[in-house]
Amino acid sequence: MLGKLRKSVAKLPFHESNLALKQVKCDACIEENGVCKCDNGDIEGMVMTEDAADQQARSGNSSFLHAVLNMSGMLIGLGQLSTPYALENGGWGSVFLLVGLGFICTYTSHVLGKCLDKNPKSESFADIGENAFGRKGRVLTTTFIYIEIFMALVSYTISLHDNLITVLSGTQIKLPGVPNLHTSQLITVVAVLIALPSLWLGELSSISFLSSGGILMSLVVFISVVCTAAFGSVEANHSIPFLHVKNIPAISGLYIYSYAGHFVFPNLYKAMKDPSKFTKVSIVSFAACTLLYTALAFLGAKMFEPEVNPQITLSLPRHHFITKIALWATVLTPMTKYALEFAPFAIQLENNLLDSLSSRMKLIIRGFVGSILLLVILSLALSVPYFEHVLSLTGSLVSVFICMTFPSAFYIKLSWPHISKPVLILNLSLIAFGSILGVLGTISSAKMLIKTLLRAHSTRVR
């Protein structure tokens, strides 16, 4: 009898189960005509056993190396394509900003781990926001996450378009009834339609293999640039100016986006077998990415300065076989990212659907909504095909807050009033620095995007 009651209690919420366990014990004693000798120690022992079992069920199995690969894979992506362009426009002195942001984002990743330590029941970035600032904190962080995902997918689609028309240059396609669409746009539409079915996959495990594909493609791009410098006809002997101060706000968004990914870190933390090593994972991952970005930035800028393309793959000699590999790798990267980037929104969507709906109906709704969103993203990418400005705007408008401002604000709120004065000053400084960088970068990149759009419109009118 007592065993059955305990099993039913396990299904109750945490606070209710504490009360229920106490009542179960007393009722059992009464039922057995015995005197109730239940003390708090026995009850607490049973509750602790339940909590320990729950904690054990939630513990991850990701090793240190696996966690490093996952975090590095989340960080490496579109950002590496633009680092040579950013260094060339900001001057080689701007590398201190690139490296400095790497240190800052490593620290804020460490801070997120501390926030999770303070409330082990937190499962996501939005949970930390809610623990710190209530319901408004969750709404704010979730909004920023969705905006970043949306704008990142637009940037991926622009990159897909730019690299695809380069690798298929000379191809002519005309579709009857749609004379206004150029060949490049039609090719991009076809590529996105090929990737569209991935949004209909039901389980995240079904798309997990896409993550490793994205990492592989990013490494192929880096190796291609190195091989071009080592064995190609391009020599890395161009001089790079020291500093272009007026360009720093705009390129700061490109640098910041290279370190974007903090909203996924709580999930990586929870997946670790030993979460106490999360800070070490952050240090190794960010150090590796910072070294890669710095090497690629200097190599690309010195090879193609002063006309390095916002995407380094588009600056490589087109007649080389290595360039073809790099271009195709860059084309395939966005196609592996659509389902992965859409996953957080898809999970939230399914959680908000009625429980009475069947799994099949939920999958249909999820796939339909995802397809509509992807088509909206495609239309926007074809209408605003300016990779560097959109990516810079994304970094300055949302990524800087997710990577720098929010983690420090969460940590101050959750640690108050026990936070030491030096740590408080450090985190307040990061909040101020991130906010200033975000505002200046957003204004600068938005102005440049508007000017480019107006210039393109005037050209078409003529």
Side-chain angles (χ1 to χ4, degrees):
M1 175 68 182
L2 184 57
K4 290 181 180 179
L5 287 171
R6 280 176 178 169
K7 288 181 181 178
S8 63
V9 166
K11 299 178 182 179
L12 295 174
F14 177 72
H15 296 292
E16 293 180 20
S17 66
N18 285 349
L19 298 174
L21 279 169
K22 188 179 294 185
Q23 186 65 37
V24 165
K25 188 70 174 178
C26 295
D27 288 348
C29 293
I30 293 172
E31 184 178 318
E32 295 169 5
N33 295 322
V35 178
C36 182
K37 298 180 180 179
C38 305
D39 57 22
N40 292 334
D42 292 337
I43 296 170
E44 290 174 0
M46 287 189 290
V47 174
M48 288 295 290
T49 302
E50 295 290 339
D51 288 346
D54 182 65
Q55 185 67 25
Q56 185 176 4
R58 291 186 181 187
S59 62
N61 57 2
S62 178
S63 65
F64 178 85
L65 179 60
H66 194 189
V68 169
L69 291 175
N70 281 336
M71 184 174 286
S72 301
M74 185 64 205
L75 294 173
I76 298 174
L78 285 180
Q80 70 166 351
L81 297 179
S82 61
T83 50
Y85 171 84
L87 187 72
E88 187 268 330
N89 278 271
W92 67 263
S94 68
V95 74
F96 293 106
L97 176 61
L98 174 63
V99 175
L101 289 172
F103 277 105
I104 291 172
C105 290
T106 304
Y107 174 75
T108 53
S109 177
H110 158 76
V111 159
L112 283 177
K114 291 298 182 182
C115 291
L116 290 167
D117 288 340
K118 292 181 181 299
N119 193 335
K121 291 189 176 182
S122 296
E123 298 283 345
S124 66
F125 196 85
D127 287 344
I128 299 175
E130 184 171 16
N131 291 333
F133 298 104
R135 183 64 181 173
K136 292 181 180 179
R138 171 176 285 276
V139 172
L140 182 64
T141 53
T142 302
T143 301
F144 270 74
I145 289 171
Y146 287 161
I147 292 175
E148 182 176 62
I149 291 174
F150 183 83
M151 296 183 71
L153 288 175
V154 172
S155 300
Y156 273 116
T157 307
I158 296 173
S159 176
L160 171 66
H161 169 267
D162 294 344
N163 286 272
L164 196 57
I165 62 174
T166 302
V167 78
L168 296 178
S169 59
T171 305
Q172 294 293 328
I173 301 177
K174 291 295 181 182
L175 194 63
V178 199
N180 294 330
L181 280 180
H182 300 293
T183 298
S184 61
Q185 295 172 323
L186 286 172
I187 292 175
T188 306
V189 170
V190 171
V192 171
L193 291 177
I194 292 173
L196 194 61
S198 65
L199 299 182
W200 290 74
L201 295 174
E203 298 293 333
L204 288 179
S205 58
S206 304
I207 60 175
S208 60
F209 71 94
L210 296 176
S211 178
S212 57
I215 298 173
L216 178 62
M217 295 301 103
S218 297
L219 292 177
V220 167
V221 171
F222 177 74
I223 294 171
S224 299
V225 175
V226 173
C227 290
T228 300
F231 309 112
S233 57
V234 181
E235 296 183 1
N237 57 3
H238 294 280
S239 61
I240 307 172
F242 171 64
L243 196 63
H244 295 301
V245 178
K246 65 177 182 179
N247 294 336
I248 294 299
I251 68 161
S252 65
L254 297 175
Y255 284 155
I256 291 168
Y257 185 84
S258 300
Y259 298 112
H262 284 58
F263 68 88
V264 179
F265 292 173
N267 304 90
L268 300 182
Y269 176 96
K270 289 294 182 180
M272 289 185 65
K273 188 182 301 182
D274 185 4
S276 65
K277 295 182 179 179
F278 180 75
T279 296
K280 293 182 179 178
V281 169
S282 301
I283 292 172
V284 173
S285 301
F286 276 95
C289 291
T290 302
L291 287 173
L292 184 146
Y293 294 152
T294 304
L296 187 61
F298 272 105
L299 187 59
K302 288 188 72 67
M303 285 171 64
F304 303 109
E305 204 276 336
E307 296 180 356
V308 60
N309 196 283
Q311 299 178 69
I312 187 61
T313 50
L314 302 180
S315 293
L316 300 176
R318 299 189 181 184
H319 61 281
H320 286 176
F321 177 72
I322 295 175
T323 303
K324 298 292 184 183
I325 296 176
L327 289 171
W328 276 115
T330 311
V331 166
L332 292 174
T333 299
M335 299 179 72
T336 66
K337 292 287 187 178
Y338 287 131
L340 290 169
E341 294 282 352
F342 179 69
F345 175 79
I347 293 172
Q348 186 65 38
L349 176 64
E350 288 189 4
N351 290 338
N352 290 334
L353 293 175
L354 296 175
D355 293 334
S356 58
L357 294 176
S358 65
S359 299
R360 181 179 178 83
M361 180 56 65
K362 288 183 178 180
L363 178 61
I364 292 174
I365 295 174
R366 165 183 170 167
F368 179 76
V369 173
S371 301
I372 296 298
L373 282 176
L374 188 54
L375 293 177
V376 171
I377 288 168
L378 172 62
S379 301
L380 188 58
L382 294 178
S383 303
V384 191
Y386 307 111
F387 177 81
E388 67 276 24
H389 302 320
V390 174
L391 198 66
S392 177
L393 183 61
T394 303
S396 298
L397 183 63
V398 288
S399 298
V400 67
F401 293 98
I402 294 176
C403 295
M404 295 173 58
T405 307
F406 288 169
S408 291
F410 295 160
Y411 184 64
I412 291 174
K413 186 65 168 62
L414 293 174
S415 301
W416 194 268
H418 305 293
I419 188 170
S420 65
K421 189 173 182 180
V423 175
L424 175 62
I425 293 174
L426 173 61
N427 282 276
L428 287 174
S429 299
L430 293 181
I431 292 173
F433 178 66
S435 300
I436 293 172
L437 208 60
V439 171
L440 294 179
T442 299
I443 294 173
S444 179
S445 54
K447 281 184 177 180
M448 294 176 69
L449 178 59
I450 293 172
K451 285 182 180 179
T452 305
L453 287 170
L454 293 175
R455 192 183 307 118
H457 177 71
S458 61
T459 302
R460 282 196 296 265
V461 171
R462 292 176 186 175

